[in-house]
């Protein structure tokens, strides 16, 4: 769900190149953190979030090794780490409490509110100093820019939603595993067939921890609707597309009985049941493959990923992602050190062949994946070169993602709600939950009541 606001959908256009400033040992700037100039040789300490937990020893080992490699190249920078990671329900409390690390990943839904509230530092000049944004897609960069083009974060990951499906269950149900559904009518038909032929849930829906609202928004987009007005001041979901999405879920649940017996799912839980062969189809981005196969033991041959099903259109699919934020309390020296870490941690592998190849080898050694399809915040030329370097190491069944791959050029990429996106998702969660757990749920009333609550939030 990572991540939203004011950027266009034309990924793959020419990359943005910010001219790198002439770096001196001491460089005065007018942005970021506390006052004063920048001394790139001065001792500085930063704390980075998202440290892997002890139950993932290989990931933790690689994380610590990367820190060691970074500090060897930058002996004046001391790097501490924390397991702090972005959680929709607790993030704003952490921001208010000033407990965030110097740098961490957050969702695309956050900057639209954080930038005007001065909860992110202006890092435009520091970015120029370290030349970090070279080769980034300018449309993606807009997510972290204000009206004047000043920059407040670093986009690192972009996703779009498709439909993940279990190829084995498709075959058992008499469906073609190379032809996932492309319309919602087909989803309903296929789900019913899977349930009748295999006894498994033909389709499942995310419903908890803000994911219910997230996927309802995705369905609304695929049916030609919206969730917020363009200015983010009013809800727009109390209309035909969202009602049709909820009615479809209600019919699949109560009329077709094709959604199994579990209706309260978060992201990890639904992936676990999907990997276990309990679910035929579920809305997911392609990165579901990684967790389903590596963590939950799904056979690679059983995973398929198609385009987000559409209704009466092509309308588009929800896109989002994650970015690196820097603490607003960071000094200028800390901002520069954090950007150097981000460049080393995330971007060097895209622009240096030896690093790209070694990263691929490391992924394979760690039983990870190389070549899994997705969307990139980089310019298409940079991404194409990166993929060419890594082509000999691809270990993902790319053809099983063909429906999704085709959709990246045929479907518009529609951003998540720009104003209080996570609050909107949270308030929509109960709507989806009630439709799936109460046979007499009144969709019109649920949407009307929720629209009033959300409009009150958006007007603040």
């Amino acid at each position: 769900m990572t991540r939203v606001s004011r950027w266009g959908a034309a990924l793959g256009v020419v990359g943005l190149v910010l001219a790198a400033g002439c770096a001196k040992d001491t460089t005065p700037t007018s942005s970021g953190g506390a006052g004063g100039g920048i001394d790139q040789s001065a001792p500085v300490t930063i704390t980075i979030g998202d440290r892997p937990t002890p139950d993932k020893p290989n990931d933790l080992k690689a994380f610590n090794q990367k820190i060691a490699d970074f500090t060897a190249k930058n002996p004046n920078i001391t790097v501490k780490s924390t397991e702090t990671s972005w959680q929709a329900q607790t993030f704003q409390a952490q921001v208010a409490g000033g407990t965030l690390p110097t740098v961490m990943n957050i969702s695309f839904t956050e900057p639209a509110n954080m930038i005007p509230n001065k909860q992110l530092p202006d890092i435009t000049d520091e970015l120029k100093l370290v030349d970090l944004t070279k080769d980034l897609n300018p449309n993606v960069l807009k997510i972290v820019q204000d009206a004047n083009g000043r920059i407040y974060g670093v986009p690192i990951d972009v996703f779009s939603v498709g439909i993940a499906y279990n190829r084995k269950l498709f075959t058992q149900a008499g469906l073609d595993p190379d032809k996932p559904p492309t319309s919602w009518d087909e989803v309903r038909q296929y789900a019913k067939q899977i349930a009748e032929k295999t006894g498994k849930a033909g389709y499942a829906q995310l419903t908890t921890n803000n994911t219910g609202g997230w996927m309802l928004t995705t369905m609304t987009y695929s049916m030609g609707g919206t969730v917020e007005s363009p200015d983010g001041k009013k809800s727009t979901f109390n209309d035909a597309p969202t009602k049709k999405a909820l009615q479809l879920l209600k019919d699949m649940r109560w009329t077709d009985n094709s959604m199994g017996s579990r209706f309260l799912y978060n992201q990890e839980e639904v992936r676990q049941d999907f990997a276990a062969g309990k679910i035929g189809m579920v809305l997911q981005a392609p990165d579901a493959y990684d967790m389903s196969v590596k963590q939950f033991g799904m056979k690679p041959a059983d995973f398929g990923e198609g385009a987000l099903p559409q209704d009466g259109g092509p309308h588009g699919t929800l896109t989002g992602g994650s970015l690196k934020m820097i603490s607003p309390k960071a000094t200028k020296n800390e901002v520069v050190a954090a950007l150097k870490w981000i460049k080393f941690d995330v971007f060097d592998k895209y622009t240096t062949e030896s690093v790209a190849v070694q990263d691929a080898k490391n992924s394979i050694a760690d039983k990870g994946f190389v070549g899994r399809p997705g969307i990139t915040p980089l310019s298409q030329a940079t991404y194409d070169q990166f993929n060419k370097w890594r082509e000999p190491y691809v270990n993902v069944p790319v053809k099983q993602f063909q429906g999704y791959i085709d959709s990246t050029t045929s479907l518009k990429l529609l951003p998540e709600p720009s104003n209080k996106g996570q609050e909107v998702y949270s308030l929509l969660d109960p709507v989806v939950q009630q439709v799936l757990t109460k046979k007499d749920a009144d969709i019109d009333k649920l949407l009307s009541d929720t629209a009033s609550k959300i409009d009150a939030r958006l007007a603040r």
Side-chain angles (χ1 to χ4, degrees):
M1 190 169 12
T2 69
R3 339 78 264 348
V4 169
S5 86
R6 307 167 299 276
W7 57 286
L11 294 180
V13 300
V14 64
L16 175 68
V17 179
L18 291 179
C22 182
K24 299 180 181 179
D25 285 344
T26 303
T27 307
T29 78
S30 58
S31 66
I38 295 171
D39 182 354
Q40 294 195 64
S41 62
V44 61
T45 298
I46 60 172
T47 302
I48 57 177
D50 306 290
R51 184 180 67 218
T53 51
D55 61 316
K56 299 176 181 178
N58 291 335
D59 292 343
L60 182 58
K61 181 180 178 181
F63 180 84
N64 289 332
Q65 184 60 53
K66 182 165 279 191
I67 291 176
D69 292 343
F70 174 76
T71 52
K73 289 187 175 183
N74 299 272
N76 66 304
I77 302 176
T78 298
V79 176
K80 298 180 179 180
S81 65
T82 171
E83 293 177 6
T84 302
S85 62
W86 179 83
Q87 300 291 333
Q89 293 79 10
T90 59
F91 177 67
Q92 280 301 322
Q94 292 173 317
V95 173
T99 60
L100 297 177
T102 314
V103 58
M104 64 178 286
N105 297 342
I106 63 172
S107 169
F108 272 12
T109 53
E110 302 294 354
N113 298 312
M114 295 180 74
I115 291 173
N117 290 332
K118 301 187 184 303
Q119 293 174 322
L120 292 172
D122 181 344
I123 59 173
T124 310
D125 297 328
E126 289 82 357
L127 280 166
K128 293 178 181 179
L129 186 65
V130 301
D131 196 22
L132 179 59
T133 52
K134 184 179 65 175
D135 297 324
L136 277 180
N137 188 308
N139 286 317
V140 177
L141 197 61
K142 289 179 183 178
I143 185 67
V144 290
Q145 290 179 304
D146 64 15
N148 297 317
R150 304 295 291 183
I151 302 169
Y152 296 82
V154 185
I156 61 167
D157 186 43
V158 186
F159 71 85
S160 66
V161 178
I163 188 164
Y165 64 99
N166 187 305
R167 293 171 59 87
K168 183 177 180 179
L169 289 181
F170 263 49
T171 300
Q172 290 176 351
L175 297 167
D176 188 339
D178 292 325
K179 294 183 178 179
T182 58
S183 71
W184 282 106
D185 287 342
E186 288 181 336
V187 170
R188 184 177 181 182
Q189 174 192 334
Y190 289 14
K192 188 175 182 181
Q193 191 165 330
I194 291 169
E196 290 174 349
K197 298 288 187 179
T198 71
K200 308 298 183 182
Y203 177 84
Q205 187 81 359
L206 288 164
T207 54
T208 66
N209 295 353
N210 297 15
T211 64
W214 181 39
M215 287 298 110
L216 180 59
T217 297
T218 301
M219 292 182 71
T220 296
Y221 287 0
S222 73
M223 295 182 175
T226 58
V227 170
E228 285 183 3
S229 59
D231 62 8
K233 294 181 179 180
K234 187 172 179 58
S235 67
T236 57
F237 57 78
N238 189 17
D239 62 359
T242 305
K243 291 178 181 180
K244 188 169 186 177
L246 290 169
Q247 187 62 51
L248 173 65
L249 293 175
K250 189 174 185 179
D251 291 342
M252 292 172 69
R253 161 68 174 101
W254 298 104
T255 302
D256 300 346
N257 194 28
S258 64
M259 294 183 67
S261 59
R262 183 172 181 179
F263 309 104
L264 298 179
Y265 272 119
N266 64 27
Q267 180 87 290
E268 184 167 333
E269 291 166 345
V270 86
R271 290 179 175 183
Q272 185 169 11
D273 277 2
F274 176 72
K278 298 178 181 180
I279 296 169
M281 298 176 288
V282 61
L283 297 186
Q284 289 284 291
D287 67 345
Y289 177 89
D290 301 23
M291 182 181 289
S292 298
V293 174
K294 183 176 181 179
Q295 187 169 333
F296 298 131
M298 188 176 192
K299 293 181 179 178
D302 293 344
F303 187 97
E305 180 82 9
L308 178 71
Q310 303 289 296
D311 181 80
H315 298 296
T317 181
L318 180 144
T319 188
S322 62
L323 60 106
K324 293 284 189 181
M325 72 155 281
I326 295 176
S327 169
K329 293 184 175 182
T331 66
K332 294 182 184 299
N333 284 348
E334 289 169 351
V335 169
V336 172
L339 292 176
K340 287 181 177 180
W341 162 255
I342 293 168
K343 187 174 183 179
F344 179 87
D345 179 38
V346 179
F347 291 100
D348 278 359
K349 70 179 181 181
Y350 292 113
T351 56
T352 306
E353 181 175 4
S354 60
V355 179
V357 170
Q358 188 60 52
D359 179 78
K361 291 179 178 179
N362 290 345
S363 293
I364 292 172
D366 195 37
K367 298 182 180 180
F369 307 108
V370 178
R372 190 252 301 146
I375 296 177
T376 172
L378 301 165
S379 72
Q380 196 61 48
T382 301
Y383 193 53
D384 288 346
Q385 180 62 70
F386 169 71
N387 286 329
K388 185 176 181 180
W389 289 332
R390 291 158 58 96
E391 189 172 350
Y393 305 94
V394 171
N395 63 351
V396 172
V398 175
K399 289 184 178 180
Q400 293 168 205
F401 293 73
Q402 194 59 53
Y404 172 83
I405 294 169
D406 293 343
S407 77
T408 61
T409 55
S410 64
L411 292 182
K412 292 180 180 178
L413 299 176
L414 305 173
E416 295 182 78
S418 64
N419 188 15
K420 296 181 172 63
Q422 294 301 329
E423 291 185 45
V424 171
Y425 291 160
S426 177
L427 289 168
L428 285 171
D429 271 5
V431 175
V432 184
Q433 292 168 12
Q434 290 193 54
V435 166
L436 295 179
T437 58
K438 295 183 179 180
K439 192 172 184 178
D440 61 350
D442 186 332
I443 291 174
D444 287 346
K445 186 174 190 308
L446 285 170
L447 287 181
S448 178
D449 290 348
T450 304
S452 296
K453 294 177 184 177
I454 289 176
D455 285 341
R457 301 281 186 97
L458 298 181
R460 293 177 184 170

